[in-house]
């Protein structure tokens, strides 16, 4: 038990020193945290973040069934009227739960 506690304390101390080094030790002109902030502030990173938020909103509306999302989704340009752009969960034809299971032999 003492060795287990000692390992956990050692791991916690190493993680603390790694976090302090990441935040305060300069790597060139900036610290590791400064470099990470600069990368996140670029245009492509902002576009990726917006895309992830939009995908999350679409997933949330599909799972919860609410038609509302914070941003309206743009219709897909290549989607034809006969094929829906997104699969609706309530349109899937599954077995009727009120009927007991019956084996059907296919020809």
């Amino acid at each position: 038990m003492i060795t287990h506690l000692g390992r956990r304390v050692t791991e916690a101390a190493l993680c603390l020193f790694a976090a302090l080094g990441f935040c305060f030790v300069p790597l060139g002109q900036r610290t590791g945290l400064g470099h990470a902030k600069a990368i996140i502030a670029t245009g492509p990173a902002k576009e990726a973040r917006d895309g992830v938020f939009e995908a999350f909103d679409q997933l949330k509306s599909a799972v919860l069934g609410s038609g509302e999302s914070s941003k309206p989704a743009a219709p897909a340009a290549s989607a034809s009227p006969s094929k829906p752009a997104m699969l609706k969960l309530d349109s899937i034809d599954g077995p009727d739960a009120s009927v007991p299971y019956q084996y059907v032999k296919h020809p």
Side-chain angles (χ1 to χ4, degrees):
M1 174 149 150
I2 300 277
T3 55
H4 183 68
L5 179 64
R7 285 183 187 166
R8 295 293 177 224
V9 169
T10 304
E11 289 174 1
L14 287 174
C15 288
L16 176 68
F17 282 123
L20 289 173
F22 182 74
C23 293
F24 295 111
V25 175
L27 302 169
Q29 298 294 323
R30 301 178 179 155
T31 64
L33 181 62
H35 285 294
K37 284 181 179 178
I39 291 170
I40 292 172
T42 61
K46 289 180 182 179
E47 290 175 15
R49 182 189 65 218
D50 292 341
V52 167
F53 286 147
E54 182 178 335
F56 179 74
D57 285 342
Q58 290 176 357
L59 177 66
K60 183 175 68 172
S61 65
V63 170
L64 298 178
S66 65
E68 299 178 18
S69 65
S70 61
K71 294 181 183 176
S78 64
S80 65
S82 62
K83 295 181 181 178
M86 198 161 104
L87 179 65
K88 302 277 185 190
L89 294 177
D90 57 348
S91 68
I92 297 174
D93 294 332
D96 188 3
S98 63
V99 178
Y101 177 76
Q102 296 175 353
Y103 177 74
V104 179
K105 188 174 183 180
H106 293 283

